[in-house]
Amino acid sequence: MKMPDGFLWGGATAANQCEGAYDVDGRGLANVDVVPFGPDRFPVACGEMKMLECDSQHVYPSHEAIDMYHHYREDIALLAGMGFKCYRLSIAWTRILPNGDDDTPNAAGIAFYRSLFEECRKYSIEPLVTICHFDAPIALIRKYGGWKDRRMVDAFLKYCRVLFENFGGLVKYWLTFNEINMLLHMPFMGAGLVFEPGENREQVKYQAAHHELVASAKAVRLAHELMPGCMVGCMLAAGQYYPRTCNPADVHEAFERDRDNYFFIDVQSRGAYPAWAKKRMEAAGITLDTLPEDDAVLAAGTVDFISFSYYSSRCVTVDPEYMSDSAQGNAAFQAVSNPYLKASEWGWPIDPMGLRITLNTLYDRYQKPLFIVENGLGAVDTVEADGSVHDSYRIDYMREHIKAMLDAVNLDGVPLMGYTMWGPIDLVSASTGEMKKRYGMIYVDKNNDGTGTLARSKKDSYYWYKKVIETNGEDLG
């Protein structure tokens, strides 16, 4: 089996995890710059610990990251060497508008991304651009409280207009918000939310969600107006929830958790709030502050395709006996261990079949083209004396997930636009903020303590993935 002609094979990164140069050439400070490595990372990312500036007591590996800002030509050439058809990346909002809503864009930021996109085009690589990848300007968080305030919609649309007018001729594929459902799990990282004492957190989160959904819909309309022929997608952190037992209460719990994840995509794909979401907010005492035209805006701004990240499935239960057996892995999602699955070094369950299930579930639900824009394995890599990295574990992970993807397309009929695996080049982990947890097929000599030469080298997986792309997924050996 192989993928259809024109399938977009490639890889994905995020500006805040690879660019570095966080205060270079006029770039402003963003929420992702002040989320530290270490024990305070999760409290800050969740909006429970207020940190709107960097301090000397914390470490911020993302400030330099792998310095792609100064290495992008070398890095794009390496991606092209694997035969990439597509490179998903994000734009740093504050590299374009340092304060988030400036009247004049930062010329250095425009020039950087224009050059980067031209470099992609030189190798016939399609850029897939995430407009907002866990990225909120600190100036707007101070000014408005992040996405708590509706004025963020106008700021976002101003930012989008600058991007579309400057890069429309170079970029066909766009995503509005990265893993938009993470707003519910890591509110500061997802939407710049910091909770004040006594604040109704659920009210704040769902109000911010409404603002992002309105902004996304307006961005879709603006993109179609300014860039005829472009395609704009949404993006969620996906991964099916499984009931731990066949107890109907467990089945219902898994069903409800899935609904939580699909809430945003239901609106972005269908153009209206689902009935269950309205009922749930009503039961929780959440009253959204909306404008009369919001319903029409959401209906008119539905996305062209659904993109998602998939790393693992999740297992849930209401049974106290099993609840004590909590899974490690992604701290943003509460789950219990699945006895049928092995886990990565960081405790994330490895479930290729879950990818096929997720693909089918999403297509059954939305009937829109799908795009896998993140999938990969974080692991500790060992550099041998000769400089090689034998990452057979990463190859095994990717092989099995690509097999599941091939089955979903060829056996189940799921329309899939492309596959951009996460982290084709080592970068700073979003979940832990460290370099030690590596995803790349290109090794970068950079350590958690900041030491390293930043030299790039090819791992075994680099050559394996090159062969996969050359054969359009037919040769997974």
Side-chain angles (χ1 to χ4, degrees), residues 377 381 391 394 421-427 438-443 459 461:
L377 177 70
D381 291 330
D391 57 340
R394 184 167 292 110
M421 57 81 59
W422 178 253
I425 184 168
D426 289 344
L427 37 63
R438 297 177 182 273
Y439 284 88
M441 296 176 290
I442 300 164
Y443 186 87
K459 305 178 189 179
S461 56

Side-chain angles (χ1 to χ4, degrees), residues 231-290:
M231 292 187 72
V232 188
C234 56
M235 198 279 199
L236 79 152
Q240 209 65 18
Y241 278 95
Y242 300 152
R244 177 64 178 81
T245 72
C246 54
N247 180 341
D250 275 6
V251 175
H252 183 259
E253 179 67 16
F255 178 75
E256 289 295 297
R257 296 284 192 95
D258 279 332
R259 271 183 161 176
D260 284 342
N261 266 355
Y262 296 139
F263 160 70
F264 294 88
I265 312 306
D266 282 355
V267 180
Q268 289 176 295
S269 180
R270 295 169 171 167
Y273 280 90
W276 65 264
K278 293 178 181 178
K279 283 293 184 183
R280 186 178 294 185
M281 284 188 274
E282 182 184 310
I286 296 168
T287 304
L288 296 181
D289 183 10
T290 64

Side-chain angles (χ1 to χ4, degrees), residues 88-117:
R88 180 195 170 214
L89 67 149
S90 72
I91 290 177
W93 188 338
T94 55
R95 206 178 285 289
I96 301 295
L97 300 174
N99 296 297
D101 58 356
D102 310 68
D103 289 331
T104 304
N106 175 27
I110 298 289
F112 168 70
Y113 289 110
R114 175 168 292 280
S115 181
L116 193 159
F117 297 143

Side-chain angles (χ1 to χ4, degrees), residues 94-238:
T94 55
R95 206 178 285 289
I96 301 295
L97 300 174
N99 296 297
D101 58 356
D102 310 68
D103 289 331
T104 304
N106 175 27
I110 298 289
F112 168 70
Y113 289 110
R114 175 168 292 280
S115 181
L116 193 159
F117 297 143
E118 287 172 347
E119 203 70 15
C120 288
R121 288 291 180 191
K122 184 171 84 176
Y123 297 103
S124 299
I125 297 173
E126 286 278 1
L128 167 60
V129 174
T130 311
I131 297 168
C132 187
H133 191 127
F134 296 155
D135 197 359
I138 288 290
L140 295 185
I141 296 173
R142 293 185 184 279
K143 193 172 180 180
Y144 300 141
W147 284 93
K148 291 179 185 180
D149 195 300
R150 191 178 182 101
R151 286 172 290 184
M152 283 291 286
V153 176
D154 291 335
F156 183 74
L157 265 291
K158 177 184 279 191
Y159 166 51
C160 287
R161 181 173 287 275
V162 172
L163 300 189
F164 300 159
E165 290 179 347
N166 281 276
F167 308 129
L170 292 166
V171 179
K172 176 182 178 181
Y173 301 103
W174 301 82
L175 304 176
T176 52
F177 291 91
N178 174 73
E179 293 186 338
I180 189 168
N181 52 319
M182 289 299 287
L183 185 161
L184 300 178
H185 306 286
M186 300 176 79
F188 181 72
M189 187 176 281
L193 305 182
V194 179
F195 298 111
E196 304 300 334
E199 209 167 27
N200 182 333
R201 295 188 177 192
E202 293 303 300
Q203 171 73 38
V204 169
K205 286 192 287 188
Y206 279 92
Q207 185 66 58
H210 180 72
H211 294 150
E212 285 199 355
L213 290 167
V214 169
S216 177
K218 288 188 172 187
V220 171
R221 290 292 302 278
L222 183 65
H224 288 155
E225 175 190 325
L226 297 179
M227 302 179 295
C230 75
M231 292 187 72
V232 188
C234 56
M235 198 279 199
L236 79 152

Side-chain angles (χ1 to χ4, degrees), residues 74 78 263 309 328 339 460:
E74 173 190 358
L78 283 165
F263 160 70
S309 61
Q328 302 304 306
D460 287 356

Side-chain angles (χ1 to χ4, degrees), residues 222-382:
L222 183 65
H224 288 155
E225 175 190 325
L226 297 179
M227 302 179 295
C230 75
M231 292 187 72
V232 188
C234 56
M235 198 279 199
L236 79 152
Q240 209 65 18
Y241 278 95
Y242 300 152
R244 177 64 178 81
T245 72
C246 54
N247 180 341
D250 275 6
V251 175
H252 183 259
E253 179 67 16
F255 178 75
E256 289 295 297
R257 296 284 192 95
D258 279 332
R259 271 183 161 176
D260 284 342
N261 266 355
Y262 296 139
F263 160 70
F264 294 88
I265 312 306
D266 282 355
V267 180
Q268 289 176 295
S269 180
R270 295 169 171 167
Y273 280 90
W276 65 264
K278 293 178 181 178
K279 283 293 184 183
R280 186 178 294 185
M281 284 188 274
E282 182 184 310
I286 296 168
T287 304
L288 296 181
D289 183 10
T290 64
L291 294 181
E293 65 266 25
D294 284 355
D295 286 349
V297 167
L298 294 175
T302 55
V303 294
D304 302 312
F305 64 97
I306 314 290
S307 78
F308 64 95
S309 61
Y310 178 85
Y311 295 95
S312 64
S313 56
R314 300 149 195 148
C315 194
V316 293
T317 185
V318 297
D319 189 329
E321 180 184 343
Y322 293 113
M323 287 176 74
S324 59
D325 184 21
S326 62
Q328 302 304 306
N330 192 341
F333 295 97
Q334 298 296 313
V336 296
S337 295
N338 186 329
Y340 296 96
L341 299 177
K342 295 179 180 178
S344 74
E345 291 175 85
W346 270 264
W348 295 44
I350 297 174
D351 182 14
M353 177 60 79
L355 176 57
R356 183 178 177 183
I357 293 169
T358 297
L359 281 162
N360 276 278
T361 301
L362 287 170
Y363 185 60
D364 286 351
R365 193 177 183 98
Y366 301 117
Q367 276 92 52
K368 289 197 175 186
L370 304 180
F371 204 136
I372 302 169
V373 293
E374 290 185 29
N375 171 241
L377 177 70
V380 176
D381 291 330
T382 300

